[in-house]
Amino acid sequence: MAGMDTESKQCLLCGSAQTTKFAFNSNLSPEGEVCRLYHELCDPDIIADVIPVQRVYMLRRINHSRALTARLPAEILDEIFIHAWLSAKGSRDHDNNHFQVVLASVSSHWRELVFSNPIFWASLSLDFCEHGGRQLLNRLGMLRLYLTHSGSAPLDFRFRFSAASDGQLWPTFDTLVHPDIDNLLLANLHRIRDLYLETASPKWAVSTPRLSQIRTFNYSCNIIPFHSTFISFPNTQHLRELIVLGWPYIETKSGPWTSLTILTLESIEVNVCVCLLAGCTNLVEFRCREPKTLTVSSWLSYPPWTTRVTRDSLEVFEWQMPRSGHPGRVEIALLQYLHCPALKYLKLHAYHHRQHPAVQLFCKRLPTTLLTLNLSAFCDDEELRDRCLFNSFPRDCQVEELIISCNGCEMLIGHAFSWLEDPTYFPRLNRIIVDDISRTKERCNKPRILSPSWQGLMLHRMLAQRLPVLKHSGFDMLLDSIDVGWSWEVKHTIWSLGQDHEFSLRIFHNPPIHRPGAPLFS
């Protein structure tokens, strides 16, 4: 084949001047042919000049040459590894298979690259399932490998400790993980940025002052000691997220509380929860789950609020009131004086306290910016509709999602559907979730049936009133562990509504009914 005219052009891969037209019997090096393939794929003007036979010839030459990855510069290969590692970070496969170790096992060249880059060894997730044996030794060796090769990079560690099979406490009070690794771990605590600990030793609480670079701290302990060991962060201003489960001792007087944006407290005394909420002025998310009532052994004496407390940045608020007994003075004052003008998500477990003046006042002051309302309460059988907690919420709230946990209380469902029959009540509502999980799955393990003569027909009437006036497309309802007991005629009526108004209806435990273009009953 005769030679063809050549035109000089700079290659974007190697930077040298390459030709865009060439003869079949080209003497280009393998690297040059890789550049040629790059030009062919990226420059549409060249595709017409390269016939299929020439492409086959180039591919054969490349396949018989050394692997392309072996010829890539170390900097490019390193970037490829980082991109793959970051893409897989956080997935279950990434945590279980130790992506870095797999790469380092391919070849000596890859091993040199992986071990020379600290970023690959800065994130580790380990499950310590036994306090002895070969599995523990392997995990300790893996932890030592990461600590050794991570250099000075910030660390992200996730440790989960399971109870020992012989019933002994593990880890013990005086160890973080194991005596063989604790000294090396203590020497690197200042580098830890994100730390997640599940059923860990109390010594982690003692060691919190050493976490000078901590950004996220998630901690649950395996046992609470009798002596007061406080969680404190006196040497950091980087803390953004704090999650503590069951540990009662938290230093509230000093710390990086103004920088904290996410705070989750579970099974902690009410005084501590309210005190931290008062000190964290820039919170975006606050969750208090199953707070403990005050006892004679309460270590923190905190006076109730007496003036308005505003959290302008708070968007997520979750509060769980006691299932039995009466709310304390500190908790009542919180509901009376807390103002959240930017609130978007509210999860309120009112239970038997739905008629308490402080609870109703808190609900009446909710901003119209609220998008998701998650409510759990009990209503008495003789309770009037107007005395229900739903009467306390502003009617013009921009709520789009309503979640109701009825806890076996059918009256709450009836009141909810009765209020929602009015389309002006939560006018932007497009998703409803009603569950009775706590009753059905824990007690009788079967769905509760709503009587067709009451809640079932009330739900049907609510849908018939709201769907025709929807100002948005789509309406979704999920009844979890609840059977509405609808007849075929009622289901057919709802199917007819879906012909003109697009919505989806999912009913747990009902037989599947589906017609083309109709809502799906599943």
Side-chain angles (χ1 to χ4, degrees), residues 109-315:
H109 179 51
W110 284 27
R111 183 161 50 253
E112 180 181 357
L113 288 175
V114 172
F115 279 110
S116 63
N117 194 334
I119 192 176
F120 293 126
W121 308 98
S123 178
L124 175 63
S125 177
L126 285 177
D127 289 348
F128 294 94
C129 301
E130 291 290 343
H131 67 291
R134 189 173 188 84
Q135 289 185 350
L136 177 60
L137 294 178
N138 291 339
R139 284 163 173 77
L140 295 178
M142 188 68 68
L143 177 56
R144 185 178 291 105
L145 179 69
Y146 277 70
L147 289 172
T148 303
H149 293 283
S150 56
S152 59
L155 300 175
D156 176 6
F157 283 167
R158 299 170 182 262
F159 299 147
R160 187 177 71 88
F161 301 89
S162 299
S165 57
D166 56 4
Q168 297 181 2
L169 179 65
W170 182 82
T172 57
F173 286 107
D174 56 347
T175 59
L176 294 176
V177 177
H178 193 273
D180 293 346
I181 197 69
D182 277 2
N183 289 335
L184 180 60
L185 190 56
L186 285 169
N188 289 275
L189 286 182
H190 67 281
R191 294 199 291 125
I192 297 181
R193 184 174 57 185
D194 300 317
L195 183 59
Y196 300 82
L197 301 168
E198 183 176 342
T199 59
S201 166
K203 189 173 182 180
W204 284 99
V206 181
S207 306
T208 49
R210 298 193 182 192
L211 301 171
S212 57
Q213 299 296 322
I214 193 68
R215 184 179 60 184
T216 300
F217 185 74
N218 188 327
Y219 177 67
S220 66
C221 58
N222 57 5
I223 191 172
I224 300 177
F226 294 106
H227 58 279
S228 300
T229 302
F230 283 81
I231 293 177
S232 61
F233 305 94
N235 303 316
T236 180
Q237 295 297 325
H238 306 284
L239 188 63
R240 296 295 181 268
E241 181 176 359
L242 177 63
I243 302 174
V244 181
L245 283 70
W247 189 264
Y249 306 112
I250 303 177
E251 177 57 58
T252 60
K253 295 181 180 179
S254 61
W257 305 129
T258 56
S259 64
L260 201 66
T261 58
I262 300 176
L263 177 60
T264 301
L265 305 171
E266 184 172 334
S267 299
I268 295 177
E269 289 186 356
V270 171
N271 276 8
V272 180
C273 300
V274 178
C275 182
L276 287 175
L277 178 59
C280 302
T281 57
N282 296 309
L283 277 180
V284 178
E285 300 179 13
F286 176 79
R287 299 176 178 88
C288 180
R289 299 165 180 164
E290 300 181 2
K292 295 182 178 179
T293 57
L294 300 181
T295 62
V296 294
S297 60
S298 299
W299 65 270
L300 176 63
S301 177
Y302 185 74
W305 294 349
T306 56
T307 58
R308 176 172 175 169
V309 177
T310 302
R311 290 293 172 264
D312 293 322
S313 59
L314 193 63
E315 297 181 357

Side-chain angles (χ1 to χ4, degrees), residues 454-483:
W454 188 35
Q455 294 97 335
L457 294 181
M458 191 173 293
L459 172 58
H460 173 215
R461 189 164 59 246
M462 182 270 292
L463 293 174
Q465 293 291 333
R466 295 190 74 95
L467 294 178
V469 296
L470 283 178
K471 297 181 180 180
H472 43 78
S473 61
F475 190 90
D476 186 73
M477 173 172 283
L478 174 62
L479 304 182
D480 193 357
S481 300
I482 293 178
D483 191 332

